[in-house]
Amino acid sequence: MPTYLVRLAQAHESFRKVELRALADLYDVGLEFLTYDEDSPYCLVDLPSDSAARSIISRSILAQGVYELWGQGATYDELHKSVKSISASRWSQYEQSSFRFTVEGYRGGKLAAEQRDIIESFSYLDFQGPPRMRNPDVAFRIFEDYDLDVPTPKFLYFGRLVAESGRNEAKKVYDLKKRHYISTTSMDAELTLLTANIAQVTPGKLFYDPFMGTGGFPIACAHFGAVVFGSDIDGRTIRGTGGSARRGQTGKMDVVGNFKQYGLTSSYLGGFVSDLTNTPLRVPVSASSASGGFLDGIVCDPPYGIREGLKVLGSRQALLENERQSHEDQYKIPGYIPPKRPYSFIALLDDILAFAVATLVENGRLSMWMPTANDEDTELVIPSHPCLQLESVCVQAFNKWSRRLLTYRRLKESEIPKGALEIATKEYEKGTRASDLNGFRRKYFQGFKEFNNMRKEFERMKMAPANDGIEKDSTAEGGLGQKSETKH
């Protein structure tokens, strides 16, 4: 198979290979990684053809483009020898074509005059067509990969452009800074689009978000052609009273308005108020039957319960029969607010998996985000279900915590082991307070409390008089300073 260079964005490194594999699997394209380094944007892969490379990269969010590899080497002499050895048979195809040459450096580069000399060194290709910087018939690029603070490149690549990705255009169009209606928890548009790719969204498929908020994930799925709908326990965000409209915007702003902004209303089935444990959706009686599913995919960012504890519909105490009857009599009254009770975060994750098993079609995908505290000795256990196969785990790291994107595939009936669904009832955290039911929430606030105590102690030591008998530890002071500089 031909070898191609994928020019990756140097962002969200743990997501890049996962996205490429998911897209290759989606288009049934054989993809083999030859070289890959999270510290480099240059990745070499084997692909069957230009059309296969184009199908994958054209919708990638973390790739910038794909190039047919014409040569590589540690020096320009080695690069030219490689070009003559690998690609000489292809030169005649572009002899009369208009062309463009560019030089790109990663962590280094050349001056304009030096770049011209480099381009002239490829004159042996003997292209007779006119050079054209805009819309040429064929474009070539020399890639220089440097080490930091080293004036000469450590490796060089030369390739013919096959296709550019839609990354820049998609990020520009769906930028949250330009979206009419958002909330404080709206996820970055780049990550929602990336999630949709990993979930293998394609035209005509049906995708659902049970925690839709202002509609970020359904919008991303609709961008790739899916038919979408969603729900949220807080109806205010769906109706337009729980988010924040941009200044200067007139008229009502809600989830429907966001779809109108992007011209995606034909892909939006609507949203409704519900929590996952009391869904009005028709769920097959037998969760073990793969034929009963109707969703092609579920994408979601469940609430972490940090600012407010997780809640579901229901009373904190078991409802008496007369209380239950009272709620049934009142729920149609305007302004009625149903009671809510605290909810275990671990139970929430397991409930999402159980819902996915009952509603996904065979090979349907669930992509959900899950937080993890970085300073725990034992990280949160990734939830599992015998009818779901964990396909990938991607990590976005912050200072004291991270969040993971977990992607599962609904197994076919023939892939599920006999008796796999006979699972013992799980024991969850017990308690009536939000922190009792959410270990991550508890750890999150404990971590910041510990950090604040360290900072106060540090300030106290700085303000202490020189003769008060306290000896300051300069190494400890430096260590604290290093922690405060950790990048998010």
Side-chain angles (χ1 to χ4, degrees), residues 80 101 114-124 142:
H80 289 305
F101 273 71
E114 295 174 310
Q115 292 184 23
R116 284 194 298 269
D117 292 340
I118 291 172
I119 294 172
E120 289 295 331
S121 70
F122 287 86
S123 59
Y124 55 84
I142 302 104

Side-chain angles (χ1 to χ4, degrees), residues 9-10 13-20 36-38 40:
Q10 199 62 12
E13 289 82 1
S14 71
F15 293 74
R16 300 187 305 186
K17 288 181 72 174
V18 171
E19 183 196 31
L20 291 177
Y36 177 83
D37 185 352
E38 289 196 352
S40 172

Side-chain angles (χ1 to χ4, degrees), residues 9-294:
Q10 199 62 12
H12 304 301
E13 289 82 1
S14 71
F15 293 74
R16 300 187 305 186
K17 288 181 72 174
V18 171
E19 183 196 31
L20 291 177
R21 283 200 180 102
L23 293 176
D25 180 56
L26 177 63
Y27 292 110
D28 194 22
V29 170
L31 170 69
E32 181 182 351
F33 285 91
L34 302 179
T35 63
Y36 177 83
D37 185 352
E38 289 196 352
D39 196 37
S40 172
Y42 306 129
C43 168
L44 298 185
V45 299
D46 275 350
L47 289 166
S49 64
D50 283 5
S51 60
R54 193 175 294 110
S55 64
I56 294 174
I57 300 302
S58 61
R59 63 173 279 177
S60 173
I61 298 301
L62 292 182
Q64 295 182 350
V66 61
Y67 299 77
E68 182 186 33
L69 187 68
W70 277 29
Q72 59 180 313
T75 66
Y76 272 100
D77 286 341
E78 289 184 12
L79 177 63
H80 289 305
K81 289 179 182 178
S82 176
V83 171
K84 294 173 182 177
S85 171
I86 294 175
S87 64
S89 61
R90 305 170 204 167
W91 299 352
S92 59
Q93 299 177 40
Y94 309 100
E95 187 175 3
Q96 300 301 323
S97 302
S98 61
F99 63 90
R100 179 183 67 210
F101 273 71
T102 53
V103 180
E104 173 189 296
Y106 175 64
R107 292 183 299 200
K110 296 287 196 303
L111 298 175
E114 295 174 310
Q115 292 184 23
R116 284 194 298 269
D117 292 340
I118 291 172
I119 294 172
E120 289 295 331
S121 70
F122 287 86
S123 59
Y124 55 84
L125 297 175
D126 198 27
F127 293 153
Q128 303 299 316
R132 185 182 300 162
M133 294 307 295
R134 291 188 178 181
N135 302 318
D137 296 328
V138 60
F140 296 90
R141 179 163 291 189
I142 302 104
F143 300 92
E144 298 183 330
D145 192 3
Y146 291 80
D147 281 326
L148 284 174
D149 301 323
V150 178
T152 56
K154 64 179 180 181
F155 211 78
L156 305 161
Y157 304 95
F158 178 66
R160 174 183 62 86
L161 176 64
V162 174
E164 294 180 334
S165 74
R167 165 183 168 81
N168 292 335
E169 183 63 21
K171 286 184 63 180
K172 179 180 178 181
V173 170
Y174 295 100
D175 188 354
L176 289 186
K177 295 178 181 178
K178 301 176 183 178
R179 188 168 298 175
H180 293 170
Y181 177 65
I182 62 171
S183 71
T184 55
T185 58
S186 293
M187 183 169 283
D188 177 67
E190 181 180 18
L191 289 175
T192 61
L193 293 164
L194 182 57
T195 302
N197 267 344
I198 294 175
Q200 297 184 338
V201 175
T202 50
K205 286 188 176 181
L206 179 62
F207 272 73
Y208 169 60
D209 180 0
F211 313 98
M212 71 179 298
T214 57
F217 284 104
I219 287 171
C221 293
H223 167 73
F224 292 116
V227 178
V228 299
F229 69 109
S231 64
D232 201 288
I233 194 172
D234 187 353
R236 296 172 299 175
T237 59
I238 301 175
R239 294 188 292 267
T241 58
S244 60
R246 295 297 185 190
R247 291 183 179 179
Q249 298 295 334
T250 58
K252 183 179 180 181
M253 295 297 161
D254 54 12
V255 173
V256 174
N258 281 343
F259 279 88
K260 289 180 179 178
Q261 178 184 353
Y262 301 118
L264 297 172
T265 51
S266 61
S267 298
Y268 181 50
L269 297 180
F272 56 92
V273 182
S274 167
D275 79 61
L276 194 68
T277 62
N278 295 276
T279 180
L281 293 178
R282 184 172 298 175
V283 178
V285 176
S286 176
S288 63
S289 176
S291 61
F294 60 95

